[in-house]
Amino acid sequence: MAERIGRADFTGRLMAPLPVVKSLLSKWRIPILIGLGIVFPLVAGNYWIDVAVFWGIYVLLGLSLNIIVGEVGLFNMGHSAFFAIGAYTTAILSERFGVSLWLLLPLSGFAAGVAGYILAKPIIHLRGDYLLIVTIGLNEIIRITLLNNPWGLTGGPNGIIMLDQFRMFGYAIQRPMDFYYLVWAFVAITVFALVRLQRSRIGRCWNYVREDEIAAAAMGIDTRSAKLLAFTLGAAIAGATGTVFAAKLVVISPESFTFMESVILFTIVILGGMGSIPGVILGSAAMMVLPELLRNFSKYRMLFFGLAMVLMMIFRPQGLWPSRRWTTILREGEGE
Amino acid sequence: MKTKGEVLLALSKVSKSFGGLRAVDSFDLDVALGNITSLIGPNGAGKTTVFNLITGIYRPDAGSIRFEGRELIGRQPHQVAKAGIARTFQTLRLFENLTCFENVLSGQHCRTSSGTMSSILRTPAQKREEAEVRHEAERCMKLVGMWDFRDELARNLPYGYRRRLEIARALATDPRLLILDEPAGGLNEKETGDLMELIIGIRDSGITVFLIEHDMQVVMGISDWVSVMDNGRKISEGTPCDVQRDPCVIEAYLGIDNDDDFCFEASQEPEGTEIS
Amino acid sequence: MALFIEQLVNGLTVGAVYALVALGYTMVYGVMRLINFAHGDFFMIGSYLGFTLVSSALVGGAIPLWASLIVAVVLSMAGVAILGVIVERAAYRPLRRSSRLTAVVSALGVSIFLQNAVMLIWGPRYRAYPPWAVPNVTWQVGGIYINFMQVLILAVSFGLMVALYLFVQRTTVGAAIRATAIDHDTARLMGIDVDQIIRLIFLIGPALGAAAGVLLGLYYRQIHFTVGWTYGLKAFTAAIMGGIGNIPGAMVGGLLLGILEMLGAGYISAAWKDVFVFLILILLLMFRPTGLLGERIAEKV
């Protein structure tokens, strides 16, 4: 036990003075990983490229939830609602009004962000447990609304078929390899932006709010608007991811946006390591790739998943790739 | 050049009850600009409640609190801080899992304005602001002598340094009034002496100080003006010497049984007090 | 008017079920500050155990119906109670000193595990209680029809709730439970074995949930392993409505929620009734988070 804390502490000292992605310190690691990433689809079969595409999508979603849960410490278990809003906005606007997918990326993000803001504003002050339940309730409300096909907009349980594709200079993005580069390019951009944000005034502000709200307020920080910003940004990124998801899947339906999906996202962030960007990447891999490797045991997959969650919390609550900040909090409680 | 006698913070007939308990009862106090004012009184007298009323954590049932002439009541804590009042906490509320430097940096948040986009894009304005902020935090840390600890996690600090860190953090908000809640709590003789020097230094740099304290060495040693509370009411005020000799104060602290009632409302204006 | 009364009766019936489940939630939350996500699954497992017991030839054919129903309820309560204690020991006790977040994730893990275990054991499709298990008796009272199951549910639920209330309020053990809910450390200092109390809570709560599961299984006849989350969430809503940690509150909250849901289904639309319920939850938390009867957990000053 002590050895585990020791390792995290040592990493903590290396990370001084600001919380930072561990890999950025060993500069040679990133170019090699990027190189591998670029080469991968050229050697792998379509099936595995597809797995990697969905891995990338989960990474994007995980990163967006990480802002809310990891950086600020808000319990949000309804995140797939924003994903859904983005995906459906894209599908509806694309099919009915022929809006270009490239334009829909920021548009869906915006729609989801606005929804995030409006939904979060009245509840953001709630204490942890209650916020958790409310976000679950919101998720269900949105899912059921999509299912019930209000004004014929959402296509009910069958969903919407979206035929449009991303086009670059006339070339349509439709092969798994195309989607792979598209998704992982977005991942790279998002990681870049989030790391920059983490090491700035905004990122610090979120940390202060998460550490001690009362002290943060005493230092002049408007905790409410800091939390709202995190929520809105997280929702927006999830919404934009919805556009890519819709393009990839072609058919979107409420099944993809259930409470279970939100639980998976939440788990990715927690098991990967809260507030830790490499943790999210690793966590999504565990969620996506491992089950594929164990396809023979698919019946028992969720069983092991549940078991894994319990065991992880007991033996390694700080996650696979911990962020220094959370290690001690999770092990020793909030000291209430 | 500070004007002696000008009132920076004025509490007037401030009252606050919790359920049936009157925690603060028609309390008056003027904190003079450029002074070190102390609020003392037995445990449970209502002192921290007064602080919480000033900083906006509680809302008074009656009365007014004016800072630099403007009403504070109704403002949220972060607005009070932005207006120029910084505070420390009796129970010490540091950002435990962040480094000392990050802790002090937090004070500068309300004095800066870089948003999401400029932070991601690292605009020249944002970079300038970051440099200024770091410079200011460094200055505050050096003022309290904590610069060597800048990369240490706050949770690993020895006790005496934790208090100093909180003060540095409060100073980083660039306040005009610094409110300290029992800053000498738990400190040994030497640490207390250092603290007294530090507070005097802060006062001399132009920041008005208002503190709650139980340690009489500190109160008598550095205060320009002392106000005494008991059971939510002010029972005495004046220079340290005046208050020390006031029988009401002695009675409140030591509980001497006395049939004669010596106490009266002390409501003088702190005019032209000697700064020793 | 007839519709109203009918939905009211339906609502009371469903509400009584919610109340039983809510009681378990509220007790656990009151004592441990833990949202036990697995609680809804205890309810669900209760319904499955009841199904197996009622369907099996041993119970179903050999003895009179009323006896077999009692046996089914009692045995499934016992089975789930044991399961509850095992779950507490394995998944929650190691995390008692850790942050609330880890406990919640662990509870989720337990929930997922239990759901999938049930799916593997009983199969992925809906199962149904045999039609002969439920006596088809209906009474007519002043123009409205009330059937046997509704009466049974109401009777059993109220019986259990009253028993629990008396237990917590009038017995020494009940006082120990209330003390533990306020502060673990102080309770320990008073000589209370906190571990034992917690084990007791995890016996009673899941048992009540199991009873609710069997009753509901008999009422609706169809059961599925995915209903745990929905019922759990609604039961938690009911617990919050009444004031978390407050036992009478959970009862009131459950009944009220059931009535509101059924009225919503009747007057608005069945497809939107869950949305209606969750909206109530959100509005409640926004405007009256302490619930109708007030919270019963210690606030740290």
Side-chain angles (χ1 to χ4, degrees), chain B residues 60-74:
Chain B
D61 300 325
S64 99
I65 302 177
R66 301 188 85 86
F67 178 66
E68 294 178 332
R70 288 191 308 270
E71 185 60 60
L72 276 187
I73 295 180

Side-chain angles (χ1 to χ4, degrees), chain B residues 10-29 39-40 42-55 57-65 73 210 212 227-235 265:
Chain B
L11 281 80
S12 164
K13 299 209 179 344
V14 174
S15 294
K16 178 72 182 170
S17 299
F18 295 108
L21 179 71
R22 255 210 138 185
V24 177
D25 192 357
S26 205
F27 186 75
D28 295 313
L29 179 65
L39 182 60
I40 67 175
N43 276 321
K47 309 188 293 294
T48 301
T49 311
V50 169
F51 270 19
N52 288 337
L53 287 167
I54 295 172
T55 55
I57 293 180
Y58 301 141
R59 209 194 151 108
D61 300 325
S64 99
I65 302 177
I73 295 180
F210 183 26
I212 291 177
S227 184
V228 190
M229 253 185 117
D230 190 19
N231 286 323
R233 318 193 103 238
K234 179 162 72 181
I235 59 171
E265 288 286 309

Side-chain angles (χ1 to χ4, degrees), chain C residues 171-253:
Chain C
T171 67
T172 323
V173 184
I177 293 176
R178 280 179 284 136
T180 314
I182 294 176
D183 189 287
H184 287 212
D185 293 324
T186 312
R188 246 183 227 115
L189 289 173
M190 293 294 113
I192 296 174
D193 185 349
V194 168
D195 286 338
Q196 213 174 53
I197 295 290
I198 291 181
R199 240 174 289 146
L200 187 63
I201 302 270
F202 271 92
L203 263 174
I204 300 176
L208 291 172
V214 177
L215 290 173
L216 203 79
L218 290 168
Y219 188 52
Y220 284 134
R221 290 196 41 232
Q222 259 195 353
I223 56 171
H224 198 240
F225 60 87
T226 54
V227 301
W229 269 347
T230 318
Y231 274 89
L233 196 57
K234 290 192 191 162
F236 196 73
T237 307
I240 293 178
M241 259 175 113
I244 197 80
N246 185 328
I247 288 181
M251 302 184 212
V252 169

Side-chain angles (χ1 to χ4, degrees), chain B residues 89-217:
Chain B
F89 293 89
Q90 183 179 355
T91 49
L92 276 178
R93 304 188 79 114
L94 295 174
F95 302 124
E96 300 290 345
N97 299 293
L98 303 179
T99 64
C100 293
F101 190 61
E102 289 167 320
N103 266 270
V104 178
L105 269 178
S106 67
Q108 280 283 296
H109 181 92
C110 60
R111 303 289 171 217
T112 50
S113 59
S114 300
T116 314
M117 279 322 285
S118 54
S119 297
I120 295 177
L121 297 173
R122 294 275 197 265
T123 59
Q126 192 259 358
K127 287 202 226 184
R128 236 190 338 252
E129 204 181 66
E130 279 289 301
E132 278 166 18
V133 156
R134 286 164 176 277
H135 183 77
E136 178 64 22
E138 183 176 337
R139 187 188 70 84
C140 292
M141 288 190 87
K142 286 186 173 160
L143 200 79
V144 303
M146 294 268 316
W147 184 237
D148 292 333
F149 289 92
R150 62 189 176 282
D151 294 331
E152 193 65 52
L153 288 187
R155 71 187 306 135
N156 295 333
L157 283 181
Y159 187 76
Y161 288 106
R162 289 166 67 83
R163 292 227 165 255
R164 269 202 252 171
L165 183 65
E166 236 203 353
I167 294 177
R169 188 179 67 176
L171 287 175
T173 65
D174 196 19
R176 282 184 294 292
L177 173 65
L178 180 64
I179 297 184
L180 302 171
D181 197 344
E182 296 197 32
L187 297 183
N188 63 35
E189 187 98 20
K190 170 163 189 323
E191 289 165 340
T192 307
D194 292 338
L195 178 75
M196 288 166 65
E197 254 182 64
L198 176 62
I199 297 179
I200 292 178
I202 292 173
R203 189 270 314 269
D204 290 341
S205 75
I207 300 174
T208 307
V209 178
F210 183 26
L211 61 121
I212 291 177
E213 195 37 73
H214 278 297
D215 187 331
M216 282 307 140
Q217 178 196 352

Side-chain angles (χ1 to χ4, degrees), chain C residues 95-132:
Chain C
L95 299 173
R96 228 180 270 167
R97 293 270 170 207
S98 305
S99 101
R100 249 188 270 170
L101 191 59
T102 47
V104 164
V105 174
S106 181
L108 271 174
V110 170
S111 175
I112 292 172
F113 183 82
L114 290 175
Q115 274 186 36
N116 282 276
V118 168
M119 181 190 81
L120 288 170
I121 298 174
W122 275 278
R125 282 179 295 175
Y126 282 84
R127 307 305 295 267
Y129 275 61
W132 48 259

